[in-house]
Amino acid sequence: MPSVPSYPGNDPQIPDVRVGPIDLAARVDEALAVQALAFGLSEAEIGVRRQIVLRHLLAPGARAYGALTIEGRLAGFVYGMPNDRSHWWSTVVEPYLRAEGRDGWLDDSFVITELHVHPAFQGHGIGRTLITTITDIARQPRSILSAIDTESPARGLYRSLGYQDLARQVLFPSAAKPYAVMGARLPLRRR
C-alpha cells in the first residue's frame, strides 16, 4: 500500500491535511456538504445524491479516500470503483463513447465517481493527491471519469494527470450542463 500523503502545515499557504482511506458511508453527510459547496448542489440534489453514494459504496471494489484536517474535518474526498457496463453512468455514456469508437474504455477501467475539495482547501494539490492515491491501488490499467464540459480547474487537473477527452457534450438526464468523459492510462502522470 502506498504511503499516506500529508501536508504538514509548515507553509501557511498549504493546509494541514492528511489523505487516507475513509468510511464514506459514515461520513456521507459531511462529504455531501463539501460537494455542495464545491459543486453547487441544492438541498434536493443532496438528498438524491446521498442515496446514490450509499448505493455505490456497496459495489464490489468501491473505495473512498478523504483529506482530513488535524481536527478531523473532511477537506475533500474521492471515491470510485471498477467500472461495470450495467451501472447507470455507463449506460448513459456508452452511446457517446461508441460514436467516437472509444466504448472499449468502459471495460477494465476504474471509474472516479466523485472528487471534490472544499473551496477553502482548493488550489493546494489536495485533489491531485486524492485522485492519484485512489488510482495508484487500482488493479485496472486505466481510469475514466466525467466532468462538466467546460474549461475549468478540474479539467486542467485531469489533463495534467494524463486524462484525455474520450467524448464531449455528453448529456445526463436532469443535468443542466453537458459533460465530457475523460480517460487515462494508469498510473496517472506525475508532475
Side-chain angles (χ1 to χ4, degrees), residues 5 9 14 36 40 75 103 121 151 164 190:
I14 300 174
D103 60 311
F121 292 89
E151 293 310 310
Q164 298 177 354
R190 298 311 202 261

Side-chain angles (χ1 to χ4, degrees), residues 2 28 30 37 39 47 59-60 65 67-68 84 86 94 98 100 103 117 135 137 142 156 164 187:
V28 67
E30 186 180 8
L37 286 172
F39 206 59
Y65 282 78
L68 300 174
D84 182 328
S86 68
E94 190 272 335
R98 187 174 1 98
E100 299 292 333
D103 60 311
V117 177
T135 58
I137 62 170
R142 54 195 176 185
Q164 298 177 354

Side-chain angles (χ1 to χ4, degrees), residues 25-179:
R27 298 186 86 130
V28 67
D29 293 322
E30 186 180 8
L32 288 171
V34 169
Q35 185 176 359
L37 286 172
F39 206 59
L41 299 178
S42 69
E43 286 297 321
E45 290 171 312
I46 291 170
V48 169
R49 287 181 184 249
R50 185 177 200 282
Q51 298 309 312
I52 293 169
V53 171
L54 294 174
R55 186 178 69 242
H56 283 163
L57 294 174
L58 299 174
R63 60 184 163 273
Y65 282 78
L68 300 174
T69 66
I70 56 173
E71 299 85 19
R73 192 174 60 140
L74 194 64
F77 73 99
V78 63
Y79 82 93
M81 65 196 84
N83 194 53
D84 182 328
R85 281 183 178 256
S86 68
H87 290 163
W88 176 83
W89 182 85
S90 289
T91 65
V92 173
V93 303
E94 190 272 335
Y96 295 93
L97 291 171
R98 187 174 1 98
E100 299 292 333
R102 296 180 172 147
D103 60 311
W105 276 84
L106 293 171
D107 301 317
D108 210 17
S109 289
F110 186 82
V111 63
I112 301 298
T113 308
E114 299 289 349
L115 169 63
H116 299 286
V117 177
H118 189 289
F121 292 89
Q122 291 176 1
H124 300 291
I126 294 170
R128 175 181 299 277
T129 301
L130 285 165
I131 194 170
T132 56
T133 301
I134 198 169
T135 58
D136 277 352
I137 62 170
R139 292 190 175 134
Q140 295 72 24
R142 54 195 176 185
S143 174
I144 54 177
L145 56 80
S146 56
I148 294 176
D149 194 1
T150 186
E151 293 310 310
S152 65
R155 293 281 305 281
L157 167 65
Y158 301 143
R159 283 192 191 102
S160 76
L161 293 165
Y163 285 91
Q164 298 177 354
D165 291 343
L166 302 175
R168 297 192 62 194
Q169 298 298 301
V170 175
L171 301 174
F172 288 98
S174 76
K177 299 176 183 176
Y179 279 70

